Amino acid sequence: MQEREQQLVEALADMREDEALALARAMLEGGVDPLRVLELCRAGMEIVGRRFEQGEYFLPELILGGEMLEAIGALAKPLIAQAPGGPAKKRGRVLIGTVHGDLHDIGKNIVTFMLDINGYDVRDLGIDVPAATFIDAVREFQPAVIGLSGFLTLAFDSMRDTVQAIETAGLREGRKIMIGGGQVDEAVRAHTRADAFGGNAMAAVALCRQWIGA
């Protein structure tokens, strides 16, 4: 990782908001691929998430991290939309939310952002979302893909319960369910009975392309 890239990751992780925004702006104006800048943001936010999990950071830091990500995303998104081919037509509907008991939204927000710029119609239910809310939204929004996000290990049971509730409501057939979060792996996918897991935002985009179409 180049020195300037490392500086951006560290500025984000250390909550140095002005420095992070200045670095991101300079990189974007200097022609750095906006998707690369967003990948660096993801790396910085992963550190923020780990520090929260370890008790070093608290909710205010998570909120500030989300605000920094949103500000950098606002700079990057127009540049991505101007890329060859321009913004894609909407390809399909994706419903996403952080499951009940988990307040993390940084990773979810990155996934939502990347799905949006890749042409998917995304509805974000936010954080700490009960299974019943997912069910109501599936009935109303009729998504092709449902994304369940969670960073804490306690979220894994909530993911499983949400998948079960969707099945019990008769709403799983014809839809795919993906999960994601800091510690999600194949064992967690099997536990939740989701169709697949994504290790990062681009993996989530790739799954939607596979399921809905490129």
Side-chain angles (χ1 to χ4, degrees), residues 35-46:
L35 292 178
R36 175 58 180 166
V37 174
L38 292 177
E39 173 62 20
L40 296 171
C41 289
R42 183 197 62 77
M45 291 304 110
E46 278 193 355

Side-chain angles (χ1 to χ4, degrees), residues 37-57:
V37 174
L38 292 177
E39 173 62 20
L40 296 171
C41 289
R42 183 197 62 77
M45 291 304 110
E46 278 193 355
I47 297 172
V48 172
R50 287 198 298 271
R51 290 177 180 175
F52 178 86
E53 184 92 331
Q54 294 163 1
E56 183 178 346
Y57 281 171

Side-chain angles (χ1 to χ4, degrees), residues 168-188:
T168 300
L171 297 171
R172 181 160 189 178
E173 186 175 355
R175 295 186 172 89
K176 294 291 188 178
I177 300 176
M178 62 182 179
I179 61 172
Q183 304 174 67
V184 167
D185 56 18
E186 175 57 27
V188 177

Side-chain angles (χ1 to χ4, degrees), residues 6-7 29 36 42 53-54 65 77 97 99 102 107 111 130-131 134 146 160 180 184-185 194 201 206:
Q6 184 64 39
Q7 288 174 348
E29 291 177 349
R36 175 58 180 166
R42 183 197 62 77
E53 184 92 331
Q54 294 163 1
K77 189 171 182 178
V99 294
D102 200 319
V111 171
F134 273 104
I146 302 166
R160 180 197 60 198
V184 167
D185 56 18

